[in-house]
């Protein structure tokens, strides 16, 4: 930093900061709470895509369970082994739909908050802080969507196979499987929300405060 | 700390004993649009002393917003140097600029620009968070500032629950809470009715005098102009003239409005 010759550098060295605790309490939680009305739609969208994914993965688990039991009782398994590739294709489609939904939601959130981002930068926020705010918001949204979708998916699975297998369903798909499946759903949702957030968050970080202040929504 | 000379457009040699709050030397800012060069600011020299209250006037498109953004550390000049409180901002990187904005500059906008999801108190605490002030001190200082602007009872209200004048008072509290060297106000009364505008002006003058904070105000409001120490007229990206309020008032009366 250079100063007028002959004077001391008056700007004490430092960097503006935004501790993680403040990112969460001042921005992320409050923002999601207040925008929940509209975000509920986005959340449901993510949840349904993830639920679909959960059912597909869960079906595989149930089939594997049936095969296992069949092998133990040395009966011949009648599960449809050939549709695995087709199922994987649907999993990819579900992931893509969820990604697109989240990207759209974050993009909208960024555009409607250009002035807010500009203001924060005027008050001293660095681009990194803007990245953190939006990334954690998306991650939280993804986690909620994943959890909801996972639970929905497990419920759908229970209805689907419970009707076919009756009480035997619990033999091939126990509590541990259900928990694993919800865990997978949450992780998958978090993963895709991070991927989905990259472009909108990069745009948000690059917003120029001088231009943002002239921006009309 | 005011210069006796009304035409205190600086040159490096004409420096007073105390360093100026703002020193702009040969600042130029060009934009390239559609193959043409727009000379938004075309060689401005300006020296603002510590504690001065300066108004910028000029028609729209004259470059006053660009000048404003340059002095506010929001835009870097294409050419020339800009010192804010002795720091040459043209040499700062993005993160140093953010720190300068946080510690040295306060902003008051025409449209208030409070963060909508946050209460008045949280809005005022924002610059303190970025400034690294710890939690309890942050709250105390924000409470104190809000009391000072007469909103001690409404600290937990959201911007939507406050009137325009109240929102602007929160914005003023936010602009001054970090004890900045300079506060920039862009048409601060532009969205307010006359009476509320007067309150806001009084409040800013009071802050300026009691805290010795330099004020740079972009305005058409005659009341602000009357209260300023100097008025800088900007036209075609240059400083056209610098006047004392009495001279500007005379110009107003002669022509029935600000010169375009």
């Amino acid at each position: 930093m250079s100063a007028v010759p002959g004077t001391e550098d008056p700007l004490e060295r430092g960097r503006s900061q935004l501790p993680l605790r403040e990112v969460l309490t001042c921005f992320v939680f409050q923002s999601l709470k207040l925008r929940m009305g509209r975000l509920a739609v986005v959340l449901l969208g993510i949840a349904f895509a993830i639920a679909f994914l959960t059912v597909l993965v869960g079906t595989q688990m149930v089939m594997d369970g049936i095969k296992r039991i069949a092998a133990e009782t040395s009966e011949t398994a009648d599960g449809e082994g050939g549709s695995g590739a087709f199922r994987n294709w649907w999993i990819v489609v579900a992931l893509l739909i969820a990604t697109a939904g989240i990207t759209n939601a974050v993009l909208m959130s960024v555009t409607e908050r250009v002035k807010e981002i500009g203001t924060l930068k005027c008050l001293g926020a660095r681009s990194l802080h803007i990245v953190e705010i939006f990334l954690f918001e998306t991650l939280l949204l993804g986690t909620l969507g994943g959890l909801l979708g996972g639970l929905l998916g497990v419920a759908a699975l229970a209805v689907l196979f419970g009707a076919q297998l009756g009480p035997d369903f619990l033999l091939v798909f126990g509590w541990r499987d259900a928990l694993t499946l919800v865990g997978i759903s949450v992780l998958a949702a978090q993963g895709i929300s991070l991927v989905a957030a990259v472009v909108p968050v990069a745009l948000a970080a690059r917003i120029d405060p001088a231009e943002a202040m002239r921006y009309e929504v | 700390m005011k210069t006796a000379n009304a035409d205190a457009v600086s040159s490096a040699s004409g420096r007073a004993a105390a360093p100026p709050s703002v020193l702009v030397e040969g600042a130029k800012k060009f934009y390239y649009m559609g193959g043409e060069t727009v000379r938004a600011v075309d060689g401005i020299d300006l020296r603002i002393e510590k504690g001065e209250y300066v108004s910028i006037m000029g028609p729209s498109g004259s470059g006053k917003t660009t000048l404003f953004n340059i002095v506010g550390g929001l835009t870097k000049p294409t050419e020339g140097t800009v010192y804010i409180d002795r720091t040459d901002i043209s040499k700062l990187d993005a993160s140093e600029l953010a720190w300068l904005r946080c510690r040295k500059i306060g902003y008051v906008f025409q449209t208030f620009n409070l963060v909508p999801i946050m209460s008045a108190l949280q809005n005022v605490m924002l610059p303190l968070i970025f400034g690294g002030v710890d939690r309890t001190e942050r709250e105390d200082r924000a409470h104190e500032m809000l009391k000072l602007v007469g909103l001690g009872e409404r600290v937990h209200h959201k911007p939507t629950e406050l009137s325009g004048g109240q929102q602007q008072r929160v914005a003023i509290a936010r602009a001054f809470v970090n004890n900045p060297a300079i506060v920039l106000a862009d048409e601060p009364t532009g969205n307010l009715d006359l009476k509320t505008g007067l309150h806001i002006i009084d409040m800013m003058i009071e802050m300026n005098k009691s805290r010795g904070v330099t004020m740079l105000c972009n305005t058409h409001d005659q009341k602000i102009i009357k209260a300023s120490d100097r008025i800088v007229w900007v036209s075609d990206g240059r400083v056209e003239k610098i006047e004392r309020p009495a001279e500007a008032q005379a110009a107003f009366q002669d022509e029935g409005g600000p010169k375009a």
Side-chain angles (χ1 to χ4, degrees):
Chain A
M1 244 175 250
S2 88
V4 172
T7 60
E8 303 227 332
D9 183 359
L11 191 67
E12 68 262 58
R13 292 271 166 181
R15 275 173 159 238
S16 47
Q17 37 185 289
L18 185 60
L20 186 60
R21 186 173 159 184
E22 270 66 30
V23 172
L24 296 177
T25 56
C26 299
F27 291 93
V28 176
F29 295 154
Q30 241 171 313
S31 169
L32 286 189
K33 206 171 95 191
L34 284 164
R35 296 186 168 98
M36 214 10 132
R38 225 168 348 140
L39 285 179
V41 181
V42 178
L43 201 61
L44 278 180
I46 301 170
F48 282 132
I50 293 294
F52 185 54
L53 186 85
T54 310
V55 169
L56 292 172
V57 176
T59 304
Q60 190 63 55
M61 288 165 79
V62 171
M63 289 304 167
D64 290 347
I66 291 173
K67 270 185 221 160
R68 197 179 58 235
I69 289 171
E72 277 165 14
T73 56
S74 62
E75 280 174 26
T76 41
D78 56 351
E80 79 266 46
S83 61
F86 193 58
R87 198 175 296 132
N88 288 344
W89 169 243
W90 278 111
I91 289 175
V92 171
V93 171
L95 283 173
L96 282 178
I97 291 171
T99 311
I102 297 174
T103 305
N104 184 44
V106 188
L107 260 183
M108 271 175 60
S109 169
V110 169
T111 4
E112 73 178 18
R113 287 158 75 184
V114 167
K115 270 210 164 164
E116 184 183 324
I117 296 166
T119 307
L120 292 176
K121 285 194 167 179
C122 283
L123 299 179
R126 281 184 277 142
S127 297
L128 175 71
H129 301 147
I130 308 295
V131 169
E132 284 177 33
I133 291 168
F134 280 89
L135 216 51
F136 278 107
E137 268 191 45
T138 318
L139 196 59
L140 186 58
L141 194 68
T143 309
L144 288 175
L147 194 63
L148 195 62
L151 293 173
L152 270 176
V154 169
L157 215 56
V159 171
L160 268 172
F161 286 97
Q164 285 180 39
L165 303 174
D168 288 347
F169 172 64
L170 290 176
L171 290 177
V172 293
F173 193 83
W175 282 112
R176 194 170 288 177
D177 296 310
L179 277 179
T180 312
L181 196 52
V182 173
I184 291 173
S185 308
V186 171
L187 281 179
Q190 287 175 331
I192 58 175
S193 31
L194 288 182
V195 172
V198 168
V199 171
V201 166
L203 285 177
R206 285 171 59 171
I207 285 173
D208 175 60
E211 270 167 41
M213 299 334 283
R214 318 176 46 160
Y215 184 85
E216 296 294 328
V217 183
Chain B
M1 209 85 67
K2 280 167 236 161
T3 38
N5 184 0
D7 300 314
V9 177
S10 93
S11 63
S13 56
R15 200 170 290 142
S21 206
V22 176
L23 182 60
V24 181
E25 287 175 336
K28 293 184 182 182
K29 179 73 184 179
F30 303 152
Y31 293 101
Y32 304 96
M33 276 182 272
E36 267 184 68
T37 306
V38 179
R39 297 168 162 258
V41 165
D42 196 9
I44 281 187
D45 297 310
L46 185 65
R47 179 193 172 92
I48 300 173
E49 303 302 333
K50 196 172 178 307
E52 235 188 332
Y53 196 134
V54 173
S55 292
I56 298 184
M57 291 202 61
S60 61
S62 60
K64 58 183 194 301
T65 302
T66 309
L67 175 63
F68 224 71
N69 289 339
I70 288 176
V71 173
L74 297 176
T75 307
K76 278 193 196 182
T78 316
E79 264 179 53
T81 49
V82 178
Y83 294 97
I84 306 292
D85 205 17
R86 291 176 287 172
T87 305
D88 181 357
I89 68 161
S90 54
K91 295 209 174 64
L92 302 185
D93 65 25
S95 123
E96 289 170 326
L97 264 181
W99 181 245
L100 176 100
R101 292 198 284 259
C102 178
R103 299 292 293 118
K104 294 290 173 190
I105 304 172
Y107 302 86
V108 177
F109 303 99
Q110 181 175 2
T111 49
F112 324 132
N113 288 344
L114 301 180
V115 178
I117 59 164
M118 293 186 179
S119 67
L121 187 68
Q122 288 175 313
N123 264 286
V124 178
M125 285 197 298
L126 273 175
L128 298 172
I129 295 177
F130 293 128
V133 176
D134 73 55
R135 187 167 276 253
T136 43
E137 191 192 337
R138 193 196 289 169
E139 258 191 55
D140 291 347
R141 276 169 71 178
H143 267 291
E144 203 179 299
M145 272 319 284
L146 281 167
K147 225 177 271 172
L148 202 64
V149 298
L151 288 173
E153 307 297 311
R154 316 204 58 170
V155 293
H156 295 300
H157 288 237
K158 295 256 154 56
T160 44
E161 299 158 354
L162 297 169
S163 71
Q166 287 168 334
Q167 287 188 52
Q168 197 61 305
R169 281 193 267 163
V170 176
I172 289 176
R174 187 175 70 179
F176 282 91
V177 74
N178 240 347
N179 297 320
I182 176 166
V183 167
L184 297 158
D186 193 2
E187 300 268 8
T189 58
N191 272 14
L192 300 172
D193 63 66
L194 187 66
K195 194 165 156 250
T196 316
L198 283 175
H199 272 295
I200 294 298
I201 295 167
D202 286 344
M203 196 165 279
M204 287 196 304
I205 294 167
E206 166 62 26
M207 293 280 200
N208 162 253
K209 300 294 175 233
S210 65
R211 300 182 160 237
V213 175
T214 311
M215 293 278 310
L216 187 61
C217 198
N218 182 354
T219 189
H220 289 103
D221 197 320
Q222 284 213 46
K223 294 286 184 303
I224 297 187
I225 292 162
K226 221 188 240 173
S228 327
D229 295 311
R230 286 186 297 154
I231 298 108
V232 176
W233 292 82
V234 179
S235 166
D236 292 328
R238 293 167 172 278
V239 174
E240 191 184 24
K241 58 184 173 183
I242 298 181
E243 291 179 325
R244 292 286 173 191
E247 302 165 289
Q249 286 297 118
F252 260 109
Q253 267 140 29
D254 288 349
E255 298 171 33
K259 275 212 269 191

